[in-house]
Amino acid sequence: MLSNNARPPLLDRLVHHYDELVSYVCRATGRFHSDHRQVRDSAREAVHDICLQLLGNNDAAEEIKVPLAFLRTLSKRRAIDNLRRDVAWARFAARAEDHPELNELAAGASDEPEHRLLAKQRLALLAQAIESLPPRCREVFVLHKIHEWPQAEVADYLGISIKTVEKHMRIAVACCRFALGDLLPQPGARGRA
């Protein structure tokens, strides 16, 4: 862990102006959110991401002439990137209803209306469960389960450890199972059906 004296100057500025940076990002991106709490959480996430980025890269900090302006720009851009990612995911989740073939796949071989309805409900619940995950957890889950990236690639891409990827996956799978609750077959129920 870095001591106070060993911290890069840019990181010191971020720590010193943390609340100001969060407020700036809230003002810059607030019009894209309807929920004030969501705006604040998104702003904090963006500033935290920049903090992690700075902890990983100490080289470029010496060349910056106006550090606070640089931090504001980085934080705002990260918040916008996060917002775009969330909007893209919401569009993807909403498209599931526009594609009946997804419902057919989920329904299995049966063409009976009640099976199709059940499959559509499962898919909607799963999409809601994934959408309600914390942003980083959702990103890990989508990259690994939907895009089928290996966990090591996900960890490398997001700049986190494989253990953190595994933790996010456990949380995401548990949330999805909980959301689908009664719709999933119960363990040991194979012989009873």
Side-chain angles (χ1 to χ4, degrees), residues 153-168:
E153 259 183 63
V154 173
D156 187 47
Y157 177 74
L158 296 175
I160 58 178
S161 71
I162 291 180
K163 289 287 185 193
T164 305
V165 169
E166 292 170 355
K167 179 191 83 166
H168 284 308

Side-chain angles (χ1 to χ4, degrees), residues 46 49-50 53 73-83:
D49 286 349
I50 297 305
Q53 183 179 343
T73 302
L74 274 181
S75 300
K76 178 180 161 186
R77 287 181 180 170
R78 180 59 60 97
I80 290 170
D81 287 346
N82 291 348
L83 180 64

Side-chain angles (χ1 to χ4, degrees), residues 93 96-97 103 117-131 179-180 183:
E97 238 178 76
N103 294 327
L117 177 63
L118 181 61
K120 189 174 184 177
Q121 289 172 343
R122 283 181 183 160
L123 196 56
L125 284 173
L126 183 59
Q128 284 177 346
I130 294 170
E131 195 172 330
L180 293 175
L183 298 176

Side-chain angles (χ1 to χ4, degrees), residues 48-113:
H48 289 172
D49 286 349
I50 297 305
C51 182
L52 291 173
Q53 183 179 343
L54 292 175
L55 283 171
N57 183 8
N58 299 336
D59 302 335
E62 303 301 323
E63 304 166 8
I64 298 166
K65 293 185 170 97
V66 186
L68 188 56
F70 178 74
L71 289 170
R72 283 181 179 161
T73 302
L74 274 181
S75 300
K76 178 180 161 186
R77 287 181 180 170
R78 180 59 60 97
I80 290 170
D81 287 346
N82 291 348
L83 180 64
R84 286 179 180 150
R85 181 198 62 215
D86 292 345
V87 167
W89 171 247
R91 284 185 187 148
F92 172 77
R95 276 190 236 142
E97 238 178 76
D98 297 338
H99 296 283
E101 65 273 11
L102 292 175
N103 294 327
E104 291 171 18
L105 287 174
S110 176
D111 283 336
E112 295 180 26

